[in-house]
């Protein structure tokens, strides 16, 4: 509360023009939120995220800026709108997520930041992917990849990873594997940019690229020995909570993918072992993407060759009870 009051004082003290204190203060808070988002439950950062978003928009509405200050503030507004849109998507509130993605796109355009513009296209792809609208997901990922063609940061391979997953969900193996191969090639030419420096959701690590690759192959129904090793490696890469690119959602997704790959091999016990830590997640961490990933494992159990096994039926029932009601992801609410 003391820090919040001090921040309000500094922001209010810069009356008509933005002073030397306001922007660095907000930039530090934006950087913290970007880092914390993939590491904490939404309930832990939700209030700070909305308050900071409101503070930045208030500055844009009420203050005069130098050109460089205005660009920096628009970048902050775009990043915060990106995070709010992602949060609504995690809450399975897709209409709000889509609206906030458009807000993020507008600020990115005002900032004239090509990387952020492409990244928002990636966010729009992500929203449609988890809404099980792979055709739309592929469209946005392709649009972003086309605009990111001259960029050197990790946003470019991320957009190809999004294409691969969307194509795989459509059953388009040719485009999925082509996007995977392109992303591998592009990774070799990556030069980290300002978005990568912020980290968190704004960078696409080697571990995350492996996770996306395995997911695309798993969605295509693949389950060979080499893919199983890749799936196990993806889980291992996300198992160190101290690693800078660690994310609870990516670890859960990698575990669900390993479970799927093992099911494609007919290994029900191995699949159950892989998904067990995901099913043990406390309710505030069970966001939309994690729920969808677990339900894909259940679908494979229901329709795969192991569906009649006792262990398969038990796992099906447990996954069916996994999804929480949306308000349970936020503090002070239960469901």
């Amino acid at each position: 509360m003391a820090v919040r009051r001090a921040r309000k004082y500094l922001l209010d003290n810069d009356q008509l023009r933005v002073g030397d204190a306001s922007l660095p203060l907000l930039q530090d808070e934006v950087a913290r939120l970007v880092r914390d988002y993939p590491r904490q439950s939404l309930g832990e950062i939700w209030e700070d995220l909305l308050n900071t978003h409101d503070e930045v928009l208030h500055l844009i509405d009420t203050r005069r800026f130098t050109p460089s200050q205005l660009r920096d503030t628009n970048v902050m507004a775009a990043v915060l709108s990106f995070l709010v849109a992602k949060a609504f998507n995690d809450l399975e509130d897709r209409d709000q997520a889509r609206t906030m993605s458009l807000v993020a796109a507008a600020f990115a355009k005002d900032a004239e930041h090509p990387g952020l513009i492409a990244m928002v296209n990636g966010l729009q792809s992500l929203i449609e992917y988890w809404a099980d609208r792979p055709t739309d997901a592929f469209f946005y990922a392709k649009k972003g990849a086309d605009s990111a063609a001259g960029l050197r940061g990790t946003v470019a391979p991320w957009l190809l990873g999004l294409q691969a997953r969307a194509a795989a969900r459509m059953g388009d193996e040719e485009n999925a594997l082509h996007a995977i191969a392109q992303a591998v090639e592009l990774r070799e030419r990556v030069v980290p940019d300002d978005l990568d420096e912020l980290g968190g959701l704004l960078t696409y690590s080697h571990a995350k690229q492996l996770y996306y690759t395995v997911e695309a192959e798993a969605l295509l129904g693949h389950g060979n020995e080499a893919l199983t090793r890749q799936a196990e490696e993806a889980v291992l890469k996300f198992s160190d909570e101290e690693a800078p690119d660690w994310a609870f959602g990516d670890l859960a997704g990698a575990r669900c993918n390993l479970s799927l790959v093992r099911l494609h091999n007919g290994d029900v016990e191995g699949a159950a072992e892989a998904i067990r830590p995901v099913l043990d997640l406390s309710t505030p961490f069970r966001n939309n993407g994690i729920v969808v990933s677990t339900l894909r494992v259940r679908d494979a159990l229901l329709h795969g060759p192991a569906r009649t096994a006792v262990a398969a039926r038990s796992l099906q029932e447990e996954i069916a009870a996994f999804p929480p009601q949306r308000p349970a992801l936020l503090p002070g609410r239960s469901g």
Side-chain angles (χ1 to χ4, degrees):
M1 290 297 296
V3 172
R4 192 171 297 167
R5 284 196 298 268
R7 183 171 66 220
K8 185 176 186 302
Y9 169 78
L10 287 174
L11 294 175
D12 289 345
N13 198 45
D14 294 337
Q15 290 297 324
L16 294 179
R17 289 188 178 276
V18 175
D20 293 335
S22 298
L23 289 187
L25 191 72
L26 288 169
Q27 286 167 335
D28 287 346
E29 183 67 359
V30 170
R32 180 186 73 81
L33 289 165
V34 169
R35 289 193 306 270
D36 286 353
Y37 191 102
R39 308 181 71 88
Q40 298 181 4
S41 69
L42 182 55
E44 293 178 270
I45 65 168
W46 181 243
E47 186 177 350
D48 286 348
L49 176 57
L50 293 184
N51 285 341
T52 307
H53 187 260
D54 185 64
E55 287 168 352
V56 170
L57 266 59
H58 179 72
L59 282 186
I60 292 173
D61 284 341
T62 61
R63 301 294 195 265
R64 293 201 298 267
F65 297 85
T66 66
S68 62
Q69 286 177 330
L70 182 58
R71 183 182 186 277
D72 289 345
T73 308
N74 279 322
V75 167
M76 286 193 290
V79 170
L80 289 166
S81 299
F82 179 103
L83 293 179
V84 173
K86 177 64 166 62
F88 278 123
N89 187 63
D90 286 343
L91 291 168
E92 203 180 349
D93 193 340
R94 297 183 184 108
D95 288 340
Q96 299 276 35
R98 292 178 181 118
T99 298
M100 287 307 302
S101 75
L102 295 175
V103 174
F107 282 120
K109 184 177 180 181
D110 286 346
E112 298 182 344
H113 194 301
L116 264 176
I117 293 170
M119 182 159 282
V120 173
N121 286 145
L123 171 66
Q124 291 168 320
S125 175
L126 200 72
I127 292 167
E128 303 309 329
Y129 175 74
W130 292 119
D132 203 20
R133 297 173 59 173
T135 302
D136 291 338
F138 187 86
F139 167 79
Y140 284 116
K142 181 70 165 58
K143 180 181 178 182
D146 289 345
S147 70
L151 301 179
R152 301 295 300 276
T154 63
V155 64
W158 180 52
L159 287 157
L160 287 168
L162 289 165
Q163 280 188 64
R165 295 201 309 184
R169 189 63 182 160
M170 291 188 290
D172 184 349
E173 183 167 350
E174 182 179 356
N175 271 321
L177 296 181
H178 180 63
I180 289 170
Q182 280 187 301
V184 170
E185 181 182 342
L186 201 57
R187 170 64 69 174
E188 298 176 359
R189 302 198 298 272
V190 160
V191 176
D193 60 12
D194 57 332
L195 299 178
D196 292 309
E197 291 297 323
L198 283 171
L201 294 180
L202 304 186
T203 191
Y204 187 56
S205 66
H206 286 274
K208 193 159 188 171
Q209 185 165 346
L210 180 60
Y211 152 50
Y212 271 48
T213 297
V214 171
E215 183 155 304
E217 297 251 21
L219 290 173
L220 290 169
H222 298 169
N224 56 46
E225 188 175 327
L227 183 60
T228 301
R229 287 197 299 270
Q230 282 186 303
E232 291 169 345
E233 182 184 354
V235 171
L236 182 62
K237 284 181 178 293
F238 281 117
S239 293
D240 180 7
E241 293 188 19
E242 300 303 316
D245 59 352
W246 183 83
F248 74 87
D250 293 340
L251 174 57
R255 286 192 172 279
C256 289
N257 291 338
L258 175 58
S259 186
L260 270 180
V261 170
R262 286 177 174 174
L263 280 178
H264 295 329
N265 275 328
D267 182 4
V268 179
E269 290 185 2
E273 179 188 24
I275 202 173
R276 168 51 47 205
V278 181
L279 299 180
D280 289 339
L281 282 173
S282 61
T283 299
F285 290 93
R286 300 181 188 182
N287 65 32
N288 179 44
I290 293 174
V291 168
V292 171
S293 296
T294 61
L295 292 177
R296 285 176 180 163
V297 175
R298 181 171 183 258
D299 187 63
L301 285 163
L302 286 168
H303 300 99
R307 61 184 177 276
T308 59
V310 174
R313 290 199 299 270
S314 176
L315 189 55
Q316 289 169 25
E317 293 170 1
E318 191 169 358
I319 294 173
F322 178 77
Q325 294 184 17
R326 187 175 67 198
L329 297 176
L330 294 178
R333 303 182 186 183
S334 61

